[in-house]
Amino acid sequence: MTALMISNVILWVIVLALVLVVLALSRQIGVLYERVAPMGALTMDKGPQVGDAAPVMELQDLRGRAVSVGVAGPRSQLIFFMSPTCPVCKKLLPILRSIQGSEGQWVDIVLASDGEMPEHLAFYQKAQLDSFPYVLSTQLGMGFQISKLPYAVLIDENGIVRGKGLVNSREQLESLFTAKDLGVASAQEYLAGDSGMKQVQVSRKENVNALAG
């Protein structure tokens, strides 16, 4: 009986020790999360800068529909530069569809590339991208001086560039929207006051969850 009581006491001591270890690890994870800067789109010092007027262009998509870029209007534009041979670009397409649903009330997404029409048309049909305008324009890529993919440019309702950068994830795409909301050039610029950045990001996630529900 005494041996059983001793073993129970030892067991409870071990359990309590494990609980304390878990709590300590949780606290350290929380501290680490607070110290890690939000990962925004990587802005490159090429092409129109944030705050500059976007190049104005009148283009046509693969289906012959008119697409205006950089023209003032009631909605913003997210220009997503991509390629059918870019694996990361393909990975982001479902995310773009999700963003189209969660942010579609204020922003239009335009897919942009260059190259031969047959290749892009086959990719457009296979990937079922008919919900997006898809433009082929060397002029558009040169206007924004795109050298790496995938790259995104956010243009506001006044035709002003509000965010741009290399994007590899949903968080990096949404960092462009967050930067626009906060009136800064990029997420990196807002690191000193990242509480505001996090607040806007949380608000966006709540909106996405509400739409999903």
Side-chain angles (χ1 to χ4, degrees), residues 10-203:
I10 294 173
L11 179 61
W12 277 108
V13 170
I14 294 174
V15 170
L16 290 174
L18 289 174
V19 169
L20 291 175
V21 170
V22 170
L23 290 174
L25 288 174
S26 299
R27 182 178 181 280
Q28 289 302 314
I29 291 172
V31 171
L32 179 62
Y33 177 81
E34 290 296 326
R35 290 179 179 176
V36 173
M39 180 60 70
L42 178 60
T43 302
M44 303 178 69
D45 293 328
K46 295 181 179 180
Q49 299 300 301
V50 174
D52 292 347
V56 176
M57 301 184 192
E58 297 292 342
L59 308 170
Q60 283 190 339
D61 72 358
L62 296 183
R63 299 172 60 183
R65 298 173 296 187
V67 178
S68 299
V69 174
V71 177
R75 299 162 64 82
S76 296
Q77 277 185 323
L78 179 70
I79 313 298
F80 182 75
F81 292 90
M82 57 168 293
S83 167
T85 59
C86 168
V88 179
C89 301
K90 294 177 182 179
K91 182 193 76 171
L92 291 177
L93 290 176
I95 296 173
L96 287 172
R97 289 192 181 93
S98 175
I99 290 176
Q100 188 179 48
S102 61
E103 308 287 348
Q105 70 276 11
W106 68 275
V107 65
D108 295 320
I109 299 175
V110 177
L111 305 182
S113 192
D114 60 9
E116 298 299 323
M117 173 72 78
E119 176 189 10
H120 288 274
L121 189 57
F123 172 70
Y124 177 81
Q125 294 170 341
K126 181 178 180 181
Q128 299 180 342
L129 300 175
D130 51 295
S131 62
F132 299 106
Y134 191 129
V135 299
L136 292 183
S137 174
T138 302
Q139 181 187 8
L140 183 60
M142 292 178 62
F144 287 99
Q145 298 189 30
I146 305 302
S147 58
K148 295 182 179 181
L149 299 174
Y151 200 91
V153 178
L154 180 63
I155 305 171
D156 72 8
E157 299 84 351
N158 299 311
I160 304 300
V161 176
R162 289 302 176 195
K164 64 175 188 174
L166 287 168
V167 290
N168 295 305
S169 66
R170 183 184 188 114
E171 289 73 22
Q172 291 180 331
L173 278 166
E174 290 189 338
S175 74
L176 301 178
F177 303 151
T178 303
K180 176 180 181 292
D181 290 340
L182 297 173
V184 296
S186 66
Q188 289 85 355
E189 182 182 300
Y190 203 71
L191 292 182
D194 64 345
S195 58
M197 176 72 73
K198 291 176 182 177
Q199 183 176 359
V200 175
Q201 289 173 333
V202 169
S203 177

